[in-house]
Short mmCIF file of all heavy atoms in Angstrom, two decimals:
data_model
loop_
_atom_site.label_atom_id
_atom_site.label_comp_id
_atom_site.label_asym_id
_atom_site.label_seq_id
_atom_site.Cartn_x
_atom_site.Cartn_y
_atom_site.Cartn_z
N ALA A 1 118.28 103.45 109.90
CA ALA A 1 118.17 104.85 109.47
C ALA A 1 117.60 104.94 108.05
O ALA A 1 116.81 105.85 107.75
CB ALA A 1 119.53 105.53 109.53
N ARG A 2 117.96 104.02 107.18
CA ARG A 2 117.44 104.02 105.81
C ARG A 2 115.96 103.64 105.79
O ARG A 2 115.18 104.14 104.99
CB ARG A 2 118.26 103.08 104.92
CG ARG A 2 117.85 103.09 103.48
CD ARG A 2 118.05 104.50 102.86
NE ARG A 2 117.30 104.61 101.64
CZ ARG A 2 116.34 105.50 101.42
NH1 ARG A 2 116.04 106.40 102.32
NH2 ARG A 2 115.69 105.51 100.30
N ILE A 3 115.58 102.75 106.69
CA ILE A 3 114.16 102.38 106.81
C ILE A 3 113.36 103.63 107.20
O ILE A 3 112.32 103.91 106.62
CB ILE A 3 113.97 101.26 107.86
CG1 ILE A 3 114.66 99.98 107.41
CG2 ILE A 3 112.49 101.02 108.12
CD1 ILE A 3 114.75 98.90 108.48
N ALA A 4 113.87 104.36 108.17
CA ALA A 4 113.20 105.59 108.61
C ALA A 4 113.13 106.61 107.48
O ALA A 4 112.11 107.29 107.31
CB ALA A 4 113.91 106.18 109.82
N ASP A 5 114.19 106.72 106.68
CA ASP A 5 114.18 107.64 105.54
C ASP A 5 113.09 107.26 104.54
O ASP A 5 112.39 108.12 104.01
CB ASP A 5 115.54 107.63 104.83
CG ASP A 5 116.64 108.28 105.64
OD1 ASP A 5 116.35 109.00 106.61
OD2 ASP A 5 117.83 108.05 105.28
N ALA A 6 112.96 105.97 104.28
CA ALA A 6 111.94 105.50 103.34
C ALA A 6 110.54 105.84 103.85
O ALA A 6 109.70 106.32 103.08
CB ALA A 6 112.09 103.99 103.13
N VAL A 7 110.30 105.61 105.12
CA VAL A 7 108.99 105.91 105.70
C VAL A 7 108.74 107.42 105.69
O VAL A 7 107.64 107.86 105.38
CB VAL A 7 108.87 105.32 107.12
CG1 VAL A 7 107.62 105.82 107.83
CG2 VAL A 7 108.89 103.79 107.06
N ALA A 8 109.77 108.20 105.97
CA ALA A 8 109.61 109.66 105.93
C ALA A 8 109.25 110.13 104.53
O ALA A 8 108.38 110.99 104.36
CB ALA A 8 110.89 110.34 106.40
N GLU A 9 109.90 109.57 103.50
CA GLU A 9 109.60 109.93 102.11
C GLU A 9 108.19 109.54 101.71
O GLU A 9 107.48 110.30 101.07
CB GLU A 9 110.55 109.20 101.16
CG GLU A 9 111.88 109.83 100.94
CD GLU A 9 112.70 109.04 99.93
OE1 GLU A 9 112.13 108.56 98.92
OE2 GLU A 9 113.91 108.90 100.15
N ALA A 10 107.80 108.32 102.06
CA ALA A 10 106.54 107.78 101.57
C ALA A 10 105.33 108.13 102.42
O ALA A 10 104.23 108.24 101.90
CB ALA A 10 106.65 106.26 101.47
N VAL A 11 105.54 108.30 103.72
CA VAL A 11 104.41 108.49 104.62
C VAL A 11 104.49 109.86 105.29
O VAL A 11 103.76 110.77 104.93
CB VAL A 11 104.35 107.36 105.67
CG1 VAL A 11 103.14 107.52 106.57
CG2 VAL A 11 104.33 105.98 105.00
N SER A 12 105.37 110.00 106.28
CA SER A 12 105.54 111.29 106.96
C SER A 12 106.73 111.22 107.91
O SER A 12 107.17 110.14 108.29
CB SER A 12 104.29 111.65 107.77
OG SER A 12 104.17 110.79 108.89
N SER A 13 107.20 112.37 108.30
CA SER A 13 108.30 112.46 109.27
C SER A 13 107.87 111.89 110.61
O SER A 13 108.64 111.24 111.30
CB SER A 13 108.74 113.90 109.46
OG SER A 13 109.21 114.43 108.26
N GLU A 14 106.61 112.14 110.97
CA GLU A 14 106.10 111.64 112.25
C GLU A 14 106.08 110.12 112.27
O GLU A 14 106.44 109.50 113.28
CB GLU A 14 104.69 112.19 112.52
CG GLU A 14 104.64 113.68 112.74
CD GLU A 14 104.70 114.50 111.45
OE1 GLU A 14 104.40 113.96 110.35
OE2 GLU A 14 105.09 115.67 111.52
N ALA A 15 105.68 109.51 111.17
CA ALA A 15 105.67 108.05 111.09
C ALA A 15 107.08 107.50 111.19
O ALA A 15 107.32 106.48 111.84
CB ALA A 15 105.01 107.60 109.79
N ALA A 16 108.04 108.18 110.58
CA ALA A 16 109.44 107.75 110.64
C ALA A 16 109.97 107.85 112.07
O ALA A 16 110.70 106.97 112.54
CB ALA A 16 110.30 108.58 109.70
N LEU A 17 109.58 108.89 112.79
CA LEU A 17 110.02 109.05 114.18
C LEU A 17 109.50 107.93 115.07
O LEU A 17 110.13 107.57 116.05
CB LEU A 17 109.57 110.41 114.72
CG LEU A 17 110.32 111.62 114.19
CD1 LEU A 17 109.68 112.91 114.71
CD2 LEU A 17 111.78 111.57 114.57
N SER A 18 108.35 107.38 114.71
CA SER A 18 107.77 106.31 115.51
C SER A 18 108.62 105.03 115.46
O SER A 18 108.45 104.15 116.30
CB SER A 18 106.34 106.01 115.06
OG SER A 18 106.33 105.33 113.82
N LEU A 19 109.53 104.95 114.52
CA LEU A 19 110.40 103.78 114.40
C LEU A 19 111.65 103.89 115.26
O LEU A 19 112.32 102.89 115.52
CB LEU A 19 110.84 103.59 112.94
CG LEU A 19 109.75 103.46 111.89
CD1 LEU A 19 110.36 103.40 110.51
CD2 LEU A 19 108.91 102.23 112.15
N ALA A 20 111.97 105.09 115.73
CA ALA A 20 113.24 105.36 116.40
C ALA A 20 113.51 104.48 117.61
O ALA A 20 114.63 104.01 117.80
CB ALA A 20 113.32 106.83 116.78
N LYS A 21 112.52 104.25 118.44
CA LYS A 21 112.75 103.51 119.68
C LYS A 21 112.57 102.01 119.53
O LYS A 21 112.78 101.26 120.47
CB LYS A 21 111.83 104.04 120.78
CG LYS A 21 112.18 105.45 121.18
CD LYS A 21 111.35 105.94 122.33
CE LYS A 21 111.76 107.37 122.69
NZ LYS A 21 111.01 107.89 123.80
N LEU A 22 112.18 101.57 118.34
CA LEU A 22 111.97 100.15 118.11
C LEU A 22 113.28 99.43 117.79
O LEU A 22 114.19 100.04 117.25
CB LEU A 22 111.00 99.94 116.94
CG LEU A 22 109.61 100.54 117.07
CD1 LEU A 22 108.82 100.31 115.79
CD2 LEU A 22 108.88 99.95 118.26
N LYS A 23 113.34 98.16 118.11
CA LYS A 23 114.47 97.35 117.66
C LYS A 23 114.31 97.15 116.17
O LYS A 23 113.22 97.32 115.62
CB LYS A 23 114.47 96.00 118.38
CG LYS A 23 114.77 96.14 119.85
CD LYS A 23 114.88 94.79 120.50
CE LYS A 23 115.24 94.99 121.97
NZ LYS A 23 115.57 93.75 122.63
N LYS A 24 115.41 96.80 115.49
CA LYS A 24 115.37 96.74 114.03
C LYS A 24 114.27 95.80 113.53
O LYS A 24 113.53 96.15 112.62
CB LYS A 24 116.71 96.32 113.44
CG LYS A 24 116.61 96.26 111.92
CD LYS A 24 117.89 96.32 111.22
CE LYS A 24 117.61 96.27 109.71
NZ LYS A 24 118.78 96.04 108.97
N GLY A 25 114.16 94.62 114.09
CA GLY A 25 113.14 93.68 113.63
C GLY A 25 111.74 94.24 113.75
O GLY A 25 110.90 94.07 112.85
N GLU A 26 111.48 94.93 114.85
CA GLU A 26 110.17 95.56 115.05
C GLU A 26 109.96 96.70 114.07
O GLU A 26 108.86 96.91 113.55
CB GLU A 26 110.05 96.07 116.48
CG GLU A 26 110.09 94.98 117.53
CD GLU A 26 110.29 95.53 118.93
OE1 GLU A 26 110.92 96.59 119.10
OE2 GLU A 26 109.81 94.87 119.87
N ALA A 27 111.04 97.46 113.81
CA ALA A 27 110.96 98.58 112.86
C ALA A 27 110.67 98.06 111.46
O ALA A 27 109.91 98.68 110.71
CB ALA A 27 112.25 99.39 112.89
N VAL A 28 111.27 96.94 111.09
CA VAL A 28 111.03 96.35 109.77
C VAL A 28 109.56 95.99 109.62
O VAL A 28 108.93 96.33 108.61
CB VAL A 28 111.93 95.10 109.55
CG1 VAL A 28 111.47 94.29 108.36
CG2 VAL A 28 113.38 95.51 109.39
N VAL A 29 108.99 95.34 110.62
CA VAL A 29 107.58 94.95 110.56
C VAL A 29 106.68 96.17 110.47
O VAL A 29 105.75 96.23 109.65
CB VAL A 29 107.22 94.06 111.77
CG1 VAL A 29 105.72 93.81 111.84
CG2 VAL A 29 107.98 92.75 111.72
N LYS A 30 106.93 97.16 111.32
CA LYS A 30 106.08 98.36 111.31
C LYS A 30 106.23 99.13 110.00
O LYS A 30 105.24 99.58 109.42
CB LYS A 30 106.44 99.27 112.49
CG LYS A 30 105.51 100.47 112.58
CD LYS A 30 105.58 101.18 113.88
CE LYS A 30 104.56 102.30 113.91
NZ LYS A 30 104.54 102.99 115.18
N ALA A 31 107.47 99.26 109.51
CA ALA A 31 107.71 99.99 108.26
C ALA A 31 107.04 99.28 107.09
O ALA A 31 106.50 99.94 106.19
CB ALA A 31 109.20 100.14 108.01
#
C-alpha cells in the first residue's frame, strides 16, 4: 500500500492502481 502511495504521489493515481493486482515482488519491480 505504501508503494502504491509513493507511485500515486510521484506519477499518477492510475499508475498506482496498476500495481494493485500484482504480487509484492512484481509491484516492487514495476514501481
Side-chain angles (χ1 to χ4, degrees):
R2 184 62 198 119
I3 296 169
D5 290 344
V7 170
E9 276 183 39
V11 182
S12 70
S13 299
E14 293 79 20
L17 287 174
S18 73
L19 303 175
K21 293 184 180 181
L22 300 177
K23 292 185 178 189
K24 180 161 181 192
E26 296 167 331
V28 166
V29 171
K30 184 165 184 177

